[in-house]
Amino acid sequence: MTASPITFWFDFASGYAFFAAREIEALGARVGRPVLWRPFLLGTAFRVTGGRGLSSTPLKQDYARRDWQRLARRAGIVLAPHANHPAITLPAARAFYWIDARDPDLARRFARDVFDSIFTAGLDGTSAEAIADQAAALGIDRAALLAGLADPALKEQVKRISEEAVAGGVFGSPFFVVDGEPFWGADRMGMMEEWIRSGGW
Amino acid sequence: MTASPITFWFDFASGYAFFAAREIEALGARVGRPVLWRPFLLGTAFRVTGGRGLSSTPLKQDYARRDWQRLARRAGIVLAPHANHPAITLPAARAFYWIDARDPDLARRFARDVFDSIFTAGLDGTSAEAIADQAAALGIDRAALLAGLADPALKEQVKRISEEAVAGGVFGSPFFVVDGEPFWGADRMGMMEEWIRSGGW
């Protein structure tokens, strides 16, 4: 019997998801749970909550920028996003699901690489060409992926996944669900680990 | 030389501030920092950020209610707020500063009692009479406090403190500032403790 997974919901443009993505596989390994990576479009949630991105909210934007920098310093990372960051990283999310349909393990590696590149190497997450380059570096067929990204069925799939996530109560990034229990935010990964270990309380 | 304090900004109606209030004095003692309790009106921040209370935000409200319950179970607390909760607890904030001007230690005890009563004993934080009862239980002159609560100067003081907090970057509850470094959320108390112990990074 396979242990039920930790579902890891995220938007590739989310700074806190970037930090969470660096830790979640190790957490899953410690508690014996696989991690199901699930990019979605945070904008879909914002339309329901009335929220907006941290980077476009007065006061919170200054706090978040400072907070990301201190999290990065602690992790020994130098943040170097593209000038257009944060922007809607639709091609990254679509590419993830195109790869995931063919090789889930490869999709996970792709997701980790994309996060690293968006936040530390100036990858333009809005560019299908740049995303295809990133995939090609993992041996993925660049032309086939680009053709896939233009497929209306893939676009519809990502839209549907995002809507289903929000309908299921997912409203932030990162957002985790394990055994039906939701945990919002990279800050709550410790609590989630405690929850899994103890069987809940 | 006195160590510079941890300023603890909060709104008496904030569930996460209630949980933080139970822990902050012990944290301050562990790191040798006094704690400066500073109630303010979260609504003042919402006018700048465009945010609104968790309890009135779709999706987040369901998550927050569930999260408060699991935090309470872990702490061995049974939550029992007044039927009108969360409501604007202006009388509580005003009473705090009226007491603080006379006896800061007593104001802190009052704040802790008010939090406990609002969240576990159905205190109506919008009622000056109920707040005065709470103060009277600590030996505070009930009639003098009620007269103070009606003083326009006190009302203006709480308004000004809230505006100054927001102008200084405070936008949430709880929100901590120590040595000029901001930490938002009860979830960040561990990081703040680490920051103080290490001298920052």
Side-chain angles (χ1 to χ4, degrees), chain B residues 57-118:
Chain B
T57 304
L59 301 180
K60 286 190 182 180
Q61 63 191 358
D62 301 322
Y63 178 84
R65 282 196 203 105
R66 181 177 188 145
D67 195 36
W68 292 327
Q69 290 296 341
R70 69 185 169 188
L71 289 169
R73 287 197 304 275
R74 184 165 60 169
I77 299 166
V78 176
L79 297 177
H82 191 275
N84 73 9
H85 180 81
I88 298 172
T89 55
L90 256 176
R94 288 176 182 157
F96 175 91
Y97 287 106
W98 187 89
I99 301 166
D100 191 57
R102 289 153 183 82
D103 185 338
D105 284 338
L106 190 58
R108 184 158 38 202
R109 285 178 54 203
F110 169 77
R112 283 185 292 207
D113 285 358
V114 166
F115 263 130
D116 284 346
S117 295
I118 285 179

Side-chain angles (χ1 to χ4, degrees), chain A residues 10-177:
Chain A
F10 60 91
D11 185 300
F12 277 113
S14 158
Y16 290 113
F18 161 65
F19 289 105
R22 295 170 48 86
E23 308 287 341
I24 188 59
E25 287 291 340
L27 191 161
R30 286 195 297 275
V31 296
R33 300 292 188 111
V35 179
L36 189 64
W37 292 54
R38 281 295 172 261
F40 78 113
L41 304 176
L42 197 44
T44 308
F46 289 160
R47 283 196 290 278
V48 176
T49 61
R52 51 181 164 169
L54 285 171
S55 297
S56 56
T57 303
L59 301 180
K60 286 189 184 181
Q61 63 191 358
D62 302 322
Y63 178 83
R65 282 195 203 106
R66 180 176 189 146
D67 195 36
W68 292 326
Q69 289 296 340
R70 69 185 169 188
L71 289 170
R73 286 198 304 277
R74 185 165 60 169
I77 299 166
V78 176
L79 297 177
H82 191 275
N84 73 8
H85 179 82
I88 297 171
T89 54
L90 256 175
R94 288 176 182 158
F96 174 90
Y97 286 107
W98 187 89
I99 301 165
D100 191 58
R102 290 153 181 82
D103 185 339
D105 284 337
L106 190 57
R108 185 158 37 203
R109 285 178 54 204
F110 169 78
R112 283 185 292 209
D113 285 357
V114 166
F115 264 130
D116 284 345
S117 295
I118 284 180
F119 285 91
T120 71
L123 174 67
D124 180 0
T126 70
S127 160
E129 294 286 339
I131 290 294
D133 289 343
Q134 185 81 43
L138 286 171
I140 294 161
D141 183 330
R142 192 178 187 286
L145 172 60
L146 279 172
L149 290 180
D151 182 347
L154 180 64
K155 296 180 181 180
E156 186 54 39
Q157 181 192 1
V158 173
K159 186 165 173 282
R160 195 188 65 241
I161 287 171
S162 298
E163 288 167 351
E164 287 172 356
V166 175
V170 175
F171 57 81
S173 170
F175 196 104
F176 306 93
V177 182

Side-chain angles (χ1 to χ4, degrees), chain B residues 7 27-28 34 37 58 70 72 74-75 77 79 87 130-131 144 152 155 168 181:
Chain B
T7 305
L27 191 161
W37 292 55
R70 69 185 169 188
R74 184 165 60 169
I77 299 166
L79 297 177
I131 290 294
K155 296 180 180 180
E181 190 71 18

Side-chain angles (χ1 to χ4, degrees), chain A residues 179-196:
Chain A
D179 300 336
E181 190 71 17
F183 296 89
W184 173 33
D187 291 343
R188 283 304 183 86
M189 293 172 75
M191 184 190 190
M192 176 170 68
E193 183 166 355
E194 189 188 337
W195 180 277
I196 296 169

